C-alpha cells in the first residue's frame, strides 16, 4: 500500500519539478524514489495484510510482482535517459510513466474487481498517450489511435464480464467470488460463465494473445522505441500478474471450464507469434511478434493452474523483461541515429564491439530459451507445470514453436558474427553499453539461481 | 401491472431509437435519436430506484457527451462525397459476420435462465446519501486511486495538445 502512495507521490513530484525548477535533479530523484519504493515493498515481505475493506491484499505474490515492476521501471529509466534528454517536456513523460507504474502495481495487489479495473485503466490510458507522444510522426499517431480504439473496446468486454459476475455473486471481492463459486459449483447460472468468457476476452486482448493480437505489431512498431520497451515489459508483466491472480483465486473451482480455452489460445498465440516473426525484416517488428509468442508461453502456465505455475510465470517474466530491455537499449540507439532497423544493421558488430555483440547474443539466446540463460529455465519450469497438469500436446506445440523462434533470434546473432562489414553505423558505449552488460550478466546469474526464484512464491 | 408495462414500453422505445441512430442518414438526426435513447435508458434507472444514477446519466450523457458529439460533427463536416466507397464484397462479409453474431446471441439467450422481473424492493438503495456512504467508506480506495487515473489522463491531454517548440 505504501508503495502505491510512494509511486503516485513521485509522479506528482515530477509534475512539480517544472514549477519549482528542479528539472535537472528530477532524474536522480526518480531513481532514488523508485529504489526507496522497492525497499519499502521488500520490507513488507511475509506480512500478508489487507487494506481498506479488502480492496488490496499485499501478499508475497503482490510484493514479488510489484518489486519486479519497479525494478524494471528503474532499469527502463536508466535505459531511456537519452530519450528524456531529447524530449522538451520530460517531466510530463516521467509523470505519466510513474502513474502507469502505479496502475500496474494496483493490478498486482488488487483483491477487488474495482481495483483491477481502475489499475488497468490507469495503465492503459497512460500507454495510449505515450504511444502517440512522438506527435510529428504519423506512425506514432496511428499506433496511439489503434491502441486506443482497440483498448477501449477490450475494456468494454472486461467491464461487461465484471458486471455479469457481480450480477451473480453480488460482490466484487475476490474471496467472496471464490467462496460463492466454491459453494455453487454445480448450479452456477449461465451468465456467470458468460462473465468469465468476457473477462477472458478482455484480458487476452491486454496480453495480446492470439485471436486478439492484431493490434500488437502495429502499436509496438509505431510507438517511440523506449515506450515499446516499456509496453513489452511492464505492461505485459502487470497484465499477466492480474490474469493469474484473478483466475487462480476467483475461478479456481470452475477451472475445467476455462483451462481448455486458455490452452487453445496459448497454442494459437505461440504459433502465430513465432511464425509471423520469421517473416519480419524490421527488428522492432520482429520483437513485437516475439512478444506475442512469449505471451503464449506464459498463458501455458496459466492453463496449467497449479502451485508451481506461479513461480514459473514470475521467473519467465523476469528473464523476458531483462533480455527485452537489453535488446531495446540497442534498438533505441539505432533509431536515434534514424537508421533503418533491418537485421543487416547489426552486420559486423562483433568486430567493432565484441563485448556488446556478446551481450546482445546472450539476450537473444535467453529469449530463444537456450541453456544456461534465464529464459531457458523460465520455459523449463512452464513446460514442467504444463506437463504435470497433463497438457502434453500443448508442450509439444510449445517446443515446436520455440524451434521456430530460435531461427529468427539467431538471424541477429548471425548478422553480428558473420556480417561482412568491419564497422557499424552506430556505436554502443557509455550508459547503454553498461546497461546491456548488466542485462546480459543478470540473465546468466538468474539462470544460476532459478530454484530460489521459483520457490519464492 | 404498471411496472412491467412501463418496462416494456421503455425497452421498446430504447431499441427503436437505437435503431434510428444507426439508420438515419444525417449525423445530426442520429445524435438526436441518441439523446432520446439515453432518456429512455435513464427511465430504466428510475424503475430500478436509482435516482442518483438517473440524474448523473442525464447530466453526463444526455448533456455533456451529447454536446461533445455535436461539436465533433460540426468540426469534421461530413459530406456525401467524403464517405468512403464500400465494395459489395465488404458489404456481404459484414452481413455474414453480423448474421453469425445474431445466431450466437440467439443461441446463448435460448440457453439462458430467465429471472422473473421484480420491482426494486429496497427503498433507499439509489439515494445519493447511501451512494455517498458506500463510496466514501467501502470504496474509498478505488475512489482515491481513480484520481490518479484522471491526473494521468489530464497530463496526457496537455502533453498531446501542447505545441512542439522546434
Amino acid at each position: 500500500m505504501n508503495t502505491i502512495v510512494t509511486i503516485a507521490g513521485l509522479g506528482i513530484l515530477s509534475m512539480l519539478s517544472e514549477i519549482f525548477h528542479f528539472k535537472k535533479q528530477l532524474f536522480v530523484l526518480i531513481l532514488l524514489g523508485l529504489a526507496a519504493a522497492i525497499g519499502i515493498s521488500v520490507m513488507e515481505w511475509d506480512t500478508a495484510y489487507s487494506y481498506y475493506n479488502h480492496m488490496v491484499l499485499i501478499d508475497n505474490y503482490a510484493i514479488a510482482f510489484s518489486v519486479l515492476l519497479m525494478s524494471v521501471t528503474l532499469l527502463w529509466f536508466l535505459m531511456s535517459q537519452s530519450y528524456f534528454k531529447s524530449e522538451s517536456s520530460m517531466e510530463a513523460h516521467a509523470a505519466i510513466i510513474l502513474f502507469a507504474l502505479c496502475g500496474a502495481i494496483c493490478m498486482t495487489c488488487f483483491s477487488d474487481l474495482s481495483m483491477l479495473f481502475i489499475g488497468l485503466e490507469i495503465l492503459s490510458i497512460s500507454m495510449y498517450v505515450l504511444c502517440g507522444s512522438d506527435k510529428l510522426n504519423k506512425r506514432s499517431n496511428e499506433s496511439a489511435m489503434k491502441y486506443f480504439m482497440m483498448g477501449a473496446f477490450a475494456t468494454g468486454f472486461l467491464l461487461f464480464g465484471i458486471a455479469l459476475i457481480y450480477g451473480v455473486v453480488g460482490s466484487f471481492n475476490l474471496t467472496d467470488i471464490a467462496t460463492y463459486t466454491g459453494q455453487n459449483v454445480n448450479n452456477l447460472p449461465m451468465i456467470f460463465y458468460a462473465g468469465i468468457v468476457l473477462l477472458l476476452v478482455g484480458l487476452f486482448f491486454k496480453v495480446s494473445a492470439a485471436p486478439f493480437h492484431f493490434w500488437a505489431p502495429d502499436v509496438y512498431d509505431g510507438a517511440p522505441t523506449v515506450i515499446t520497451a516499456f509496453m513489452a515489459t511492464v505492461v505485459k508483466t502487470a497484465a499477466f500478474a492480474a490474469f493469474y491472480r484473478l483466475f487462480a483465486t476467483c475461478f479456481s473451482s470452475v477451472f475445467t471450464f476455462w483451462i481448455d480455452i486458455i490452452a487453445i489460445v496459448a497454442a494459437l498465440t505461440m504459433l502465430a507469434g513465432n511464425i509471423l516473426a520469421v517473416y519480419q525484416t524490421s527488428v522492432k517488428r520482429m520483437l513485437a511478434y516475439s512478444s506475442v509468442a512469449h505471451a503464449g508461453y506464459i498463458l501455458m502456465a496459466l492453463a496449467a493452474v497449479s502451485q508451481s505455475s506461479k513461480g514459473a510465470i514470475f521467473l519467465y517474466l523476469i528473464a523476458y523483461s531483462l533480455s527485452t530491455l537489453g535488446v531495446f537499449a540497442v534498438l533505441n540507439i539505432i533509431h536515434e541515429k534514424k537508421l533503418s532497423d533491418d537485421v543487416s544493421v547489426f552486420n559486423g558488430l562483433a568486430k567493432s564491439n565484441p563485448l556488446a555483440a556478446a551481450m546482445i547474443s546472450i539476450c537473444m539466446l535467453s529469449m530463444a530459451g537456450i541453456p544456461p540463460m534465464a529464459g531457458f529455465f523460465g520455459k523449463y519450469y512452464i513446460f514442467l507445470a504444463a506437463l504435470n497438469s497433463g497438457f502434453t500436446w500443448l508442450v509439444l506445440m510449445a517446443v515446436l514453436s520455440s524451434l521456430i523462434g530460435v531461427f529468427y533470434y539467431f538471424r541477429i546473432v548471425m548478422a553480428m558474427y558473420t556480417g561482412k562489414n568491419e564497422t557499424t553505423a552506430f556505436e554502443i558505449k557509455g550508459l547503454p553499453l553498461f546497461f546491456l552488460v548488466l542485462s546480459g550478466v543478470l540473465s546468466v546469474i538468474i539462470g544460476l539461481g532459478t530454484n530460489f526464484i521459483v520457490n519464492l512464491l | 401491472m404498471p411496472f412491467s408495462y412501463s418496462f416494456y414500453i421503455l425497452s421498446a422505445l430504447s431499441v427503436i431509437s437505437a435503431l434510428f441512430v444507426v439508420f438515419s442518414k444525417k449525423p445530426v438526426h442520429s445524435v438526436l435519436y441518441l439523446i432520446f435513447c439515453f432518456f429512455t435508458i435513464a427511465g430504466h434507472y428510475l424503475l430500478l430506484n436509482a435516482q442518483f444514477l438517473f440524474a448523473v446519466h442525464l447530466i453526463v450523457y444526455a448533456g455533456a457527451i451529447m454536446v461533445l458529439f455535436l461539436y465533433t460533427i460540426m468540426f469534421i463536416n461530413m459530406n456525401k462525397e467524403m464517405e468512403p466507397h464500400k465494395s459489395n464484397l465488404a458489404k456481404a462479409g459484414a452481413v455474414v459476420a453480423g448474421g453469425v453474431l445474431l445466431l450466437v446471441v440467439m443461441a446463448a439467450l435460448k440457453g439462458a435462465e430467465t429471472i422473473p422481473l421484480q420491482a426494486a424492493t429496497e427503498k433507499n438503495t439509489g439515494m445519493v446519501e447511501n451512494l455517498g456512504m458506500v463510496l466514501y467508506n467501502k470504496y474509498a480506495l478505488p475512489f482515491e486511486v481513480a484520481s490518479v487515473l484522471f491526473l494521468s489522463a489530464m497530463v496526457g491531454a496537455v502533453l498531446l495538445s501542447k505545441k512542439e517548440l522546434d
Side-chain angles (χ1 to χ4, degrees), chain A residues 2 5 45 78 110 112 123 158 165 194 198 220 225 275 304 322 328 331 384-385 401 419 439:
Chain A
N2 294 328
V5 177
W45 187 261
L78 280 177
F110 69 99
D112 196 277
L123 188 61
L158 190 87
I165 284 166
L198 288 169
Y220 279 33
T225 310
I275 292 171
L322 267 177
F328 269 99
L331 268 188
L384 202 66
S401 61
S439 46

Side-chain angles (χ1 to χ4, degrees), chain A residues 116-183:
Chain A
L116 165 71
F117 176 68
I118 290 179
L120 191 69
E121 274 305 276
I122 296 177
L123 188 61
S124 308
I125 287 189
S126 312
M127 280 352 280
Y128 304 149
V129 172
L130 289 173
C131 280
S133 62
D134 189 2
K135 279 176 279 184
L136 302 177
N137 185 347
K138 269 189 183 158
R139 312 214 5 119
S140 173
N141 292 347
E142 181 205 347
S143 143
M145 192 67 189
K146 219 169 219 170
Y147 196 21
F148 173 64
M149 290 293 180
M150 302 294 278
F153 204 52
T155 303
F157 277 101
L158 190 87
L159 256 190
F160 197 17
I162 291 176
L164 288 186
I165 284 166
Y166 181 81
V168 174
V169 181
S171 168
F172 286 129
N173 191 286
L174 294 199
T175 26
D176 288 351
I177 297 172
T179 334
Y180 183 89
T181 36
Q183 283 163 356

